[in-house]
Amino acid sequence: MKARLTCVAASALVLALSVISIRYISDFWLLAFVNSFQLHIAVLAALFALMCLVVLRSRIFIMLLAWAFVLSAHALYMHREFVTQAYAPQGAKPFRLLSFNVLMENGRNAESIADTIVASKADVAYVMEAAALTSVLPRLSQTYPHRLGCGQGVQSCDLLILSKRPLENARIGSLSYVSRERFAMATINLDGQELTLAAAHLAKPYFDEYHRNELSRIRSAISSVSGPLILGGDFNSASIAPDMGDFLLATDLKKAQWEPATWPTGAGQFGIAIDHIFARQPATLMKLDRLPDSLGSNHYGLVADFAIATP
């Protein structure tokens, strides 16, 4: 009986650890979303291996525990890659951004979401699946008189940028057949400093190669930007996924010291961060917080504070 339990438990652990180890051999798109959970799976596997070692006392669990520990350690290392050095240059200007996928079918909470956006005192808000806020757009325009999306620049109401300052060179484009009109760019004049804003809502990472290809198109779109740049939105993937790591390395974008979990909302702090806000110097991401309430969405929103260096 003991031998049978050892075989079953060891097989389950080998399968779980093998799935999250495939990334080190090949970036297989079908497992792309699983890669976002590497830390979660590896930690659970380590705990299970330790329990099996204590109960079943088989040496194989020592090997599996070591395997799980290595994968956990590397996941933690990847979470610390590309983090910002939160140092504000002297004379840098403060800037606040809110980013929130509000869920398209969430119109019943539109008023509460509008209250939250206004109360955040954000200079700019990125809103994904913004059709839920159609009824409160006139109210939001009182605080954010400038917008891109939902009838401004494009008729669709999916990706929306709200701004207290005029949006210049504003445009919305498609990242792929799946993500139509889900990438926007604009610039604002921040007291003499031109700041480039980019918002994105990417396809699910298990939709063939769409996710990697969409990241490549974003990379091309922002490659010509030389000044401060802020990119945010719903990426549907953690920053430790292989294509996300390649993207951050290629673009020199930085993320917060620790990104709060934004999905699934039911998991609370034990979820994963699939909504991100990145920045490139001379824009420095100083602080990133999660909104305390998901307000009926299946994502938590984010509020980021920046220091924008002036020439």
Side-chain angles (χ1 to χ4, degrees):
M1 183 64 177
K2 180 181 176 180
R4 182 176 298 177
L5 286 175
T6 298
C7 181
V8 171
S11 297
L13 282 168
V14 168
L15 177 61
L17 294 173
S18 295
V19 166
I20 57 175
S21 297
I22 290 175
R23 65 175 297 157
Y24 300 103
I25 302 172
S26 174
D27 182 14
F28 184 36
W29 63 266
L30 196 58
L31 297 177
F33 197 56
V34 175
N35 292 328
S36 294
F37 286 94
Q38 177 169 331
L39 181 59
H40 297 66
I41 296 172
V43 168
L44 289 174
L47 293 173
F48 184 58
L50 183 60
M51 182 182 70
C52 290
L53 179 62
V54 172
V55 175
L56 300 174
R57 299 184 180 278
S58 173
R59 292 179 181 178
I60 191 172
F61 294 113
I62 297 176
M63 298 173 56
L64 293 171
L65 179 61
W67 186 3
F69 178 79
V70 169
L71 290 175
S72 300
H74 188 236
L76 284 172
Y77 170 79
M78 289 189 291
H79 275 296
R80 299 296 300 167
E81 280 189 296
F82 312 113
V83 299
T84 181
Q85 301 300 317
Y87 170 76
Q90 187 174 5
K93 298 186 179 299
F95 180 81
R96 177 169 288 183
L97 174 75
L98 178 147
S99 179
F100 192 8
N101 183 333
V102 300
L103 186 63
M104 193 170 296
E105 300 83 15
N106 196 21
R108 64 187 181 280
N109 289 300
E111 291 290 345
S112 297
I113 294 170
D115 289 341
T116 299
I117 294 174
V118 173
S120 73
K121 298 182 180 179
D123 297 284
V124 169
Y126 294 169
V127 183
M128 281 63 66
E129 302 193 26
L133 303 187
T134 302
S135 64
V136 295
L137 285 178
R139 176 186 162 199
L140 285 169
S141 67
Q142 296 175 20
T143 303
Y144 298 94
H146 309 282
R147 80 168 189 255
L148 175 61
C150 296
Q152 295 294 324
V154 65
Q155 289 304 310
S156 64
C157 195
D158 189 335
L159 183 60
L160 173 67
I161 296 180
L162 301 169
S163 177
K164 293 179 178 179
R165 299 170 184 260
L167 295 168
E168 302 173 1
N169 303 313
R171 65 268 193 199
I172 288 183
S174 298
L175 293 172
S176 68
Y177 176 80
V178 176
S179 302
R180 290 181 176 274
E181 297 179 339
R182 284 187 166 185
F183 179 67
M185 287 185 69
T187 60
I188 63 170
N189 189 311
L190 191 63
D191 302 328
Q193 172 66 66
E194 185 177 87
L195 171 63
T196 299
L197 304 170
H201 185 184
L202 277 74
K204 304 292 192 297
Y206 44 81
F207 285 0
D208 205 340
E209 293 287 341
Y210 280 105
H211 195 269
R212 178 175 285 277
N213 292 339
E214 289 179 7
L215 286 172
S216 179
R217 291 186 178 95
I218 295 174
R219 174 185 172 185
S220 297
I222 65 176
S223 62
S224 60
V225 177
S226 57
L229 168 70
I230 296 173
L231 169 66
D234 177 4
F235 287 75
N236 273 308
S237 185
S239 58
I240 66 170
D243 61 347
M244 290 289 289
D246 293 343
F247 173 74
L248 292 173
L249 179 64
T251 56
D252 199 30
L253 288 163
K254 303 300 180 184
K255 61 181 184 178
Q257 294 284 337
W258 187 259
E259 296 183 292
T262 59
W263 182 91
T265 54
Q269 298 293 342
F270 295 99
I272 58 173
I274 65 172
D275 300 88
H276 305 282
I277 297 178
F278 305 122
R280 190 166 67 199
Q281 293 290 345
T284 302
L285 177 54
M286 303 298 296
K287 183 180 179 184
L288 182 66
D289 292 316
R290 190 178 79 174
L291 292 177
D293 194 328
S294 65
L295 300 167
S297 176
N298 58 345
H299 293 244
Y300 281 102
L302 298 171
V303 176
D305 287 303
F306 297 87
I308 313 296
T310 55

